[in-house]
Amino acid sequence: MAVNFTTPEQLASANKATVDSLLSVANAALASAERIAALNLNTARSVLEDSVSGAKALLGAKDVQEALSIQASLAQPNVEKAVAYSRSVYEISAQAQEELSKTIEAQFSGFQKQVSELLDKAAKSAPAGSDVAVAAVKSAIAAANSAFDNLNKAAKQVAEITEANVAAATNATVKAVGATAAAAKKK
């Protein structure tokens, strides 16, 4: 179905809306990339500092038992930092996906409005007896809107479940490594 613009202002408005949407998506992607880059730089700096500190501590050990104890004590913070990094990457990705979803929802809403307006115009100028066809098209559009809403709700539920699972898995990993490190210290 081709969209007909009756005035140059309508065409300009549609083009501006498209450009605005594309800019919004591009800005969200760049912001996410910026956050990931900053996270990676901070993580690299922290890993380097921790490695130097750990190496110095290991070199200062007086015997093998002390070296093993130092090594065990370094494991827990490293796992916690790896989990925090993973969680941060997940959060940045989830926020980027949410921004993209909002843009798509807005675009879909605008498209729905345009189609509805076109149908109303078509119905007014349609020949007698075409009410059934117009009603069928409106019904199909309503079904498509309902399907889109259901898919959107399902996607949000999946995201919530995934977030809960990621949180549970990371907490379990931190606890398991903590228990292992504590057991290693007792030996």
Side-chain angles (χ1 to χ4, degrees):
M1 174 185 302
V3 178
N4 295 323
F5 297 104
T6 56
T7 66
E9 290 81 19
Q10 288 176 325
L11 179 61
S13 176
N15 286 337
K16 182 184 180 315
T18 301
V19 169
D20 288 346
S21 293
L22 291 174
L23 282 173
S24 176
V25 169
N27 284 332
L30 288 172
S32 294
E34 234 175 51
R35 290 179 62 200
I36 291 286
L39 176 65
N40 286 341
L41 286 172
N42 289 335
T43 300
R45 182 179 298 115
S46 177
V47 166
L48 180 63
E49 290 170 357
D50 292 348
S51 296
V52 169
S53 174
K56 285 180 180 178
L58 284 172
L59 290 173
K62 294 179 177 53
D63 57 25
V64 173
Q65 187 63 32
E66 186 180 353
L68 290 174
S69 177
I70 290 170
Q71 191 173 13
S73 71
L74 296 175
Q76 177 73 17
N78 287 338
V79 169
E80 288 175 359
K81 287 179 182 181
V83 167
Y85 173 81
S86 298
R87 190 176 293 155
S88 295
V89 169
Y90 174 79
E91 288 172 1
I92 291 168
S93 299
Q95 288 171 354
Q97 185 272 336
E98 185 178 330
E99 294 265 335
L100 183 59
S101 291
K102 286 178 184 177
T103 301
I104 290 171
E105 285 176 23
Q107 283 292 333
F108 190 72
S109 176
F111 175 73
Q112 286 175 315
K113 184 179 176 186
Q114 281 183 335
V115 170
S116 178
E117 289 171 358
L118 284 173
L119 276 175
D120 289 343
K121 285 181 183 179
K124 289 177 185 174
S125 63
S130 61
D131 296 345
V132 174
V134 171
V137 171
K138 284 186 177 183
S139 176
I141 290 172
N145 291 342
S146 177
F148 178 79
D149 288 342
N150 288 338
L151 285 173
N152 205 11
K153 287 176 187 174
K156 286 179 182 177
Q157 287 175 343
V158 167
E160 290 170 2
I161 290 168
T162 302
E163 187 172 343
N165 288 341
V166 166
T170 55
N171 289 337
T173 301
V174 169
K175 286 180 184 176
V177 170
T180 303
K185 283 183 181 179
K186 289 181 182 179
K187 290 183 180 180

